[in-house]
Amino acid sequence: MTTASTPELEADRQALIGLINEEAVFHGDFTLSSGKKATYYVDMRKLTLDHRAAPAIGRLVLDLVKDLDGVVAVGGLTLGADPIANAVMHESVHAGTPLDAFVVRKEPKDHGRGRQIEGADVKGKRVVVVEDTSTTGQSALKAVEALRREGAEVVAVAVIVDRKTGAQAAIEAEGLQWLASIDLDDLGLAPQ
């Protein structure tokens, strides 16, 4: 089990755990983006786009990355990372430690400026990739690859929910720090 750095943030974390358990954990037969089968699905997009949860998500992810020196922006592979990066950006301004946000397209645009990364300029900058939840880490690593091609220094991957299914090992194998706010123990779920 993890905890947040202050009692106020821990209260946010506990409230978010409650919302996840009440509204974002679905039981049944599911196929995850990794192709793996699961008997439950944690649909964090339901909450990353919810006014009750988004501010707490921003504060909690900001808390995860606060001790990483020189980080100037957060973001990740569209679509899952977009509302998280936006929430972190807004909460960072409130906290007096502003961070910018970026979006990593799945493929570079074939028109206009042909960019794959939109938003903050990442070249030569220290950044963190964010995700709602991760099974194998492959979505985050796709974002990391694109960011590295653009000259960014990716220092960590921060997720809201750690599914405990190998993503951490994959991320750490790339020399990146793994940060998670909530894990399956917090949700009373077993790894699958």
Side-chain angles (χ1 to χ4, degrees):
M1 185 180 325
T2 59
T3 57
S5 68
T6 69
E8 296 81 12
L9 287 168
E10 183 58 24
D12 276 345
R13 198 175 80 81
Q14 291 301 321
L16 183 58
I17 289 168
L19 279 171
I20 293 168
N21 278 323
E22 291 167 17
E23 299 187 23
V25 176
F26 297 88
H27 295 275
D29 294 320
F30 299 96
T31 302
L32 304 175
S33 64
S34 64
K36 291 184 177 185
K37 301 293 183 188
T39 58
Y40 63 82
Y41 182 71
V42 181
D43 185 1
M44 285 304 298
R45 289 189 187 124
K46 183 167 175 45
L47 294 176
T48 60
L49 295 165
D50 186 300
H51 72 279
R52 298 167 300 161
I57 288 169
R59 289 187 294 271
L60 290 167
V61 174
L62 185 60
D63 188 48
L64 290 175
V65 305
K66 71 179 176 15
D67 294 329
L68 299 175
D69 289 336
V71 169
V72 299
V74 299
L77 198 61
T78 199
L79 173 78
D82 301 350
I84 301 165
N86 196 34
V88 172
M89 178 182 64
H90 287 283
E91 290 301 324
S92 73
V93 172
H94 290 298
T97 56
L99 295 174
D100 287 322
F102 58 85
V103 172
V104 180
R105 295 175 185 273
K106 292 182 176 147
E107 300 294 331
K109 283 174 51 175
D110 61 359
H111 59 282
R113 295 174 56 202
R115 297 178 54 120
Q116 186 170 7
I117 300 170
E118 301 288 355
D121 177 23
V122 298
K123 186 174 184 173
K125 307 285 176 52
R126 291 172 58 86
V127 302
V128 173
V129 169
V130 295
E131 268 203 313
D132 52 4
T133 185
S134 188
T135 303
T136 63
Q138 293 310 301
S139 292
L141 291 174
K142 186 171 184 176
V144 168
E145 181 182 325
L147 288 158
R148 286 177 172 166
R149 275 196 310 270
E150 289 293 319
E153 181 185 349
V154 183
V155 297
V157 172
V159 299
I160 301 166
V161 177
D162 181 357
R163 290 183 55 90
K164 294 185 171 184
T165 52
Q168 179 176 356
I171 298 304
E172 290 175 344
E174 286 295 316
L176 301 169
Q177 189 171 353
W178 173 262
L179 305 166
S181 185
I182 296 168
D183 64 27
L184 295 182
D185 293 337
D186 295 316
L187 299 174
L189 298 170
Q192 339 181 54

